Amino acid sequence: MRKSITRKILEGHLVEGGSGLEPREEVAIKIDQTLTQDATGTLAYLQFEALVALGVELERVKTELSVSYVDHNTVQAGFENADDHRYLRSVAAKYGLLFSKAGNGICHQVHLERFGKPGKTLLGSDSHTPTCGGLGMFAVGAGGLDVAVALAGGPFYLACPRVVRVELSGALRAWATAKDVALTVLERFGTKGNVGCVFEYGGEGVKTLSVPERATVANMGAECGVTTSVFPSDERTLEFLTAQGRAADWVELRADEGAESEYEAVVEIDLSEVVPLAACPHSPGNVKTVRELEAEGVEVSQVCIGSCTNSSYKDLTTVARILRGRKVSPEVELVVAPGSRQVLAEICRNGALADLVSAGARLAECSCGFCIGNCYAPATDAVSVRTSNRNFEGRSGTKTAKVFLVSPETAAATAVVGKITDPRSLDLGIECPQVKMPERFYTDDSLILQPSNTSISNAVQIYRGPNIGEPPTTSPLPETLSGAVAIKVGDKITTDHIMPAGSRMKYRSNIPKYAEFVFEPLDSDFYKRALGNKNAGKHNFIVAGESYGQGSSREHAALCPAFLGVKAVLAKSFERIHAANLVNFGILPLSFRSAADYEALHEGDELEIPSVRERLARNEKLSVRDCTRGLEFEVGCELTERQRQIVLAGCLLQTFL
Ligand code: MIC
Ligand code: SF4
């Protein structure tokens, strides 16, 4: 049988499920590596500790390699972040994980540089984990609880993906970049309707892209909602790993010739036709050409370059070359955040940093920083042009800001001119910079701490500052659900809407406190209303449109609503990671059979799902009664047997009892 890359990796890791790897059937795969970051990591490790407390035999994590990164909450405005970092460090030391300290870089960039291996599986508690697909890994984002289970040696369950082959031909022209390829993909596929899909890249054009460029493309597959994106591992991969001093980690990985029957569809992208693009407010799928925006004369007050999408050596050196001998427009604040300490060290050595500083850039830490809105929030109504991957309303930290997502090249041109500018229009006097990658990157892993050796790990004390809460307990599914529609929302509700990050993120380790901000960006009264219902003994229901739960993997977007008594979400459709998180915390994801049923429901309506426990246990149809309006309708509940058991138990952890 001729096989796709996806099949090759999945077959080699299959633990449960049909060996036919039929799309949509549930399969379980062995996880070789995990990564967590601090904003999702504390909860992941609290749940890992809960597994240990439940008697799961665990002295060390069972994966080949697990890394705990600190990159999101590095601001330390108050004790909370630092306390979380100490907790994470002590857990890593005790249980055998590597610990990447604050300042070492963004998890996806560092993992690509130092740890990713072609052909391996990686599970990360961050939705951009697929970045390592650029190296030929099967790299998937998930909630922290799924990562905790993988750390304990459990498999990861997923719907076997449908594979779409993205055939790349030609080569990028001057000023067109990997980011523009990622935006082309978003333009073609959109941000919804791609759940359960893998984008597998192939074709002659692949070899024209370096690993960091492939990583940029794989990174933004997350915005399409795919399970992951994967590139072949070829001579360019070997070149990258060799430059990282890791040639021994290379294996070749390609789809077999003639594996066409493996693909649900083949989509071609001619790289030579790709032009500079921008995602306009407030969705990564809202793509226009930079030329069009240039013609509109969009004035810009902030440009931010960095994030896990575009903070590589090549990205920042290119920006520096464009800015060399120039000044940032007086109207613009330019922020540059290198993706890792390796990138920072390299741009110190090659002079790029001096060019950035001379041009007037503000240098930010090697961390997520501006991307997650906990610093560098733009001014009211300001236009901010960024190289990151998400521009959801309010995510920048400023509700009224308008964020455009572009390539580093477009960002640099824009910073100089002060208006959104196609870099091809810039009278540079030089050709488009051709940045050669170092033959050998500067490597210094001294901010990556090794765990204690096994003989002393028992003595390691876990540090728990006052910011570290207990993972809350959830209750089993009751016989009947009855309560009120606590909120009705529209399409494409992101986890940033449900559980805002930014300045609220420091409460990630404290569920009762963080729960106060559920749906804050949409309705600041939600918390009081939901808590009121809960205290009155009612369940809460959420009613939503298409693609509910886009974006982040944060399981808080399920756990905090669960804490407030939410027991079911009724939506037109769900995004993959969020749907899995809902199930993991005992919330039923129910889908509307008809748009009319969605229309009929209103906030405050009293709902009932009679005999829900019994029906779910027997896998029988569920119907919802709207007692306020005297309606009754059937809803879809596409859960596997395993997932039904989790919802019945109230939480995945309970199924380990
Ligand atoms: C994001 O980009 O939204 C985040 C912050 O990295 C999240 C993780 C989180 O919420 O902590 C993600 O992408 O999963
Ligand atoms: Fe960090 Fe932004 Fe990447 Fe999320 S998208 S991991 S916040 S850099």
Side-chain angles (χ1 to χ4, degrees):
M1 179 183 191
R2 297 171 198 280
K3 298 174 183 170
S4 63
I5 300 173
T6 309
R7 178 179 292 271
K8 288 183 184 181
I9 304 182
L10 289 180
E11 264 184 6
H13 290 82
L14 201 61
V15 179
E16 267 176 47
S19 50
L21 289 174
E22 285 303 318
R24 298 178 185 83
E25 75 172 339
E26 188 174 69
V27 292
I29 55 169
K30 174 182 173 293
I31 294 301
D32 300 321
Q33 300 189 349
T34 63
L35 69 78
T36 56
Q37 39 87 345
D38 51 304
T40 53
T42 46
L43 206 50
Y45 298 112
L46 282 165
Q47 294 171 128
F48 175 76
E49 287 192 277
L51 283 175
V52 177
L54 286 173
V56 177
E57 285 284 311
L58 276 172
E59 293 206 340
R60 309 286 275 186
V61 296
K62 299 258 172 71
T63 46
E64 290 174 14
L65 172 108
S66 287
V67 191
S68 171
Y69 292 92
V70 175
D71 55 1
H72 279 62
N73 283 318
T74 58
V75 177
Q76 293 169 223
F79 65 92
E80 293 91 345
N81 300 167
D83 274 10
D84 285 359
H85 304 169
R86 281 172 84 174
Y87 167 74
L88 292 170
R89 181 175 170 166
S90 61
V91 170
K94 187 173 180 75
Y95 290 108
L97 296 96
L98 297 176
F99 178 71
S100 174
K101 291 172 74 177
N104 194 47
I106 304 173
C107 55
H108 310 302
Q109 176 69 22
V110 178
H111 211 83
L112 191 79
E113 292 168 356
R114 307 305 303 141
F115 301 113
K117 288 188 186 176
K120 297 280 182 185
T121 53
L122 167 68
L123 192 70
S125 61
D126 191 284
S127 65
H128 290 103
T129 304
T131 310
C132 277
L135 262 181
M137 295 191 92
F138 192 83
V140 183
L145 184 46
D146 284 332
V147 175
V149 170
L151 287 167
F156 174 64
Y157 291 85
L158 74 164
C160 187
R162 333 174 249 130
V163 185
V164 171
R165 176 161 165 118
V166 186
E167 183 82 13
L168 301 180
S169 60
L172 291 169
R173 293 182 188 227
W175 300 110
T177 69
K179 177 60 158 279
D180 303 309
V181 178
L183 293 170
T184 304
V185 172
L186 268 153
E187 204 177 20
R188 295 263 178 103
F189 290 92
T191 56
K192 63 184 175 73
N194 305 305
V195 171
C197 198
V198 164
F199 290 161
E200 182 173 310
Y201 287 83
E204 282 300 296
V206 166
K207 61 173 183 277
T208 67
L209 300 175
S210 64
V211 166
E213 289 174 310
R214 296 174 189 184
T216 296
V217 176
N219 174 282
M220 280 195 84
E223 276 48 74
C224 296
V226 294
T227 304
T228 191
S229 300
V230 64
F231 277 82
S233 168
D234 56 10
E235 42 298 327
R236 298 298 302 269
T237 320
L238 177 60
E239 177 186 298
F240 177 77
L241 288 172
T242 306
Q244 292 290 346
R246 301 204 288 125
D249 289 343
W250 184 72
V251 291
E252 190 175 23
L253 188 61
R254 294 175 196 272
D256 293 332
E257 289 287 336
E260 284 73 22
S261 62
E262 289 278 87
Y263 305 114
E264 186 187 74
V266 178
V267 174
E268 288 181 30
I269 296 181
D270 181 350
L271 294 175
S272 63
E273 284 174 9
V274 171
V275 295
L277 295 172
C280 305
H282 296 288
S283 168
N286 191 6
V287 177
K288 285 191 180 172
T289 64
V290 179
R291 275 256 190 276
E292 278 171 79
L293 295 168
E294 187 179 75
E296 288 172 25
V298 185
E299 306 220 346
V300 172
S301 57
Q302 186 189 54
V303 173
C304 298
I305 298 175
S307 89
C308 58
T309 318
N310 277 126
S311 57
S312 68
Y313 169 84
K314 177 171 177 277
D315 288 334
L316 299 200
T317 305
T318 306
V319 168
R321 295 270 173 81
I322 297 170
L323 295 180
R324 183 181 286 166
R326 297 167 170 270
K327 292 284 180 213
V328 168
S329 155
E331 305 312 319
V332 172
E333 162 187 65
L334 171 64
V335 178
V336 179
S340 69
R341 217 162 131 264
Q342 179 182 84
V343 172
L344 178 57
E346 287 289 355
I347 63 170
C348 287
R349 285 156 174 252
N350 71 5
L353 184 62
D355 291 332
L356 293 172
V357 172
S358 304
R362 298 177 67 184
L363 192 69
E365 192 179 20
C366 307
S367 69
C368 299
F370 69 80
C371 178
I372 192 55
N374 64 10
C375 52
Y376 301 103
T380 305
D381 297 332
V383 170
S384 177
V385 170
R386 298 177 166 212
T387 64
S388 42
N389 47 36
R390 290 187 174 144
N391 57 349
F392 306 141
E393 191 176 6
R395 179 179 164 97
S396 64
T398 305
K399 196 163 173 17
T400 59
K402 296 175 201 68
V403 176
F404 293 77
L405 308 174
V406 300
S407 70
E409 284 78 345
T410 300
T414 299
V416 171
V417 177
K419 292 184 182 165
I420 295 187
T421 300
D422 188 315
R424 292 171 299 178
S425 325
L426 194 65
D427 180 18
L428 278 172
I430 58 164
E431 297 288 297
C432 174
Q434 295 299 324
V435 173
K436 229 175 115 354
M437 299 266 269
E439 272 172 26
R440 186 65 207 255
F441 282 99
Y442 167 83
T443 48
D444 166 12
D445 294 333
S446 56
L447 291 197
I448 302 175
L449 307 184
Q450 297 293 321
S452 320
N453 63 40
T454 336
S455 58
I456 60 160
S457 62
N458 278 346
V460 175
Q461 290 294 313
I462 304 288
Y463 175 86
R464 285 173 222 282
N467 196 43
I468 303 286
E470 292 288 318
T473 48
T474 45
S475 51
L477 190 70
E479 286 311 324
T480 287
L481 286 182
S482 115
V485 175
I487 191 167
K488 179 174 178 180
V489 293
D491 291 343
K492 293 193 186 184
I493 293 301
T494 72
T495 48
D496 279 326
H497 291 113
I498 306 169
M499 221 40 273
S503 60
R504 307 300 191 201
M505 218 168 32
K506 66 179 180 183
Y507 302 120
R508 282 287 178 91
S509 318
N510 184 341
I511 299 304
K513 180 71 192 166
Y514 199 32
E516 290 175 19
F517 308 107
V518 175
F519 283 120
E520 189 194 30
L522 296 177
D523 178 352
S524 51
D525 289 335
F526 176 84
Y527 170 70
K528 273 199 233 128
R529 197 163 56 238
L531 197 65
N533 288 340
K534 184 185 171 190
N535 291 342
K538 293 183 188 174
H539 300 118
N540 282 305
F541 296 88
I542 294 169
V543 172
E546 304 257 24
S547 267
Y548 183 70
Q550 287 193 344
S552 153
S553 66
R554 65 192 71 140
E555 59 195 339
H556 305 75
L559 184 49
C560 292
F563 175 79
L564 295 177
V566 173
K567 275 290 187 189
V569 178
L570 291 84
K572 290 186 185 166
S573 64
F574 294 88
E575 289 299 304
R576 175 187 65 88
I577 305 180
H578 187 60
N581 286 338
L582 290 173
V583 169
N584 281 353
F585 294 103
I587 298 180
L588 266 174
L590 302 173
S591 35
F592 287 109
R593 293 253 193 252
S594 92
D597 296 336
Y598 167 81
E599 297 304 334
L601 294 187
H602 291 79
E603 192 178 296
D605 284 5
E606 294 286 334
L607 302 189
E608 209 177 85
I609 309 185
S611 313
V612 66
R613 193 173 173 87
E614 197 184 316
R615 289 176 162 274
L616 191 72
R618 295 200 194 143
N619 200 14
E620 290 172 1
K621 288 188 176 140
L622 297 180
S623 50
V624 176
R625 237 179 245 157
D626 184 331
C627 309
T628 310
R629 281 163 220 285
L631 301 167
E632 184 155 353
F633 55 90
E634 220 172 75
V635 282
C637 178
E638 283 87 36
L639 300 184
T640 62
E641 166 63 22
R642 184 188 64 89
Q643 290 178 312
R644 286 199 300 276
Q645 292 309 323
I646 297 172
V647 175
L648 289 170
C651 177
L652 173 58
L653 278 178
Q654 296 299 322
T655 63
F656 284 82
L657 278 177

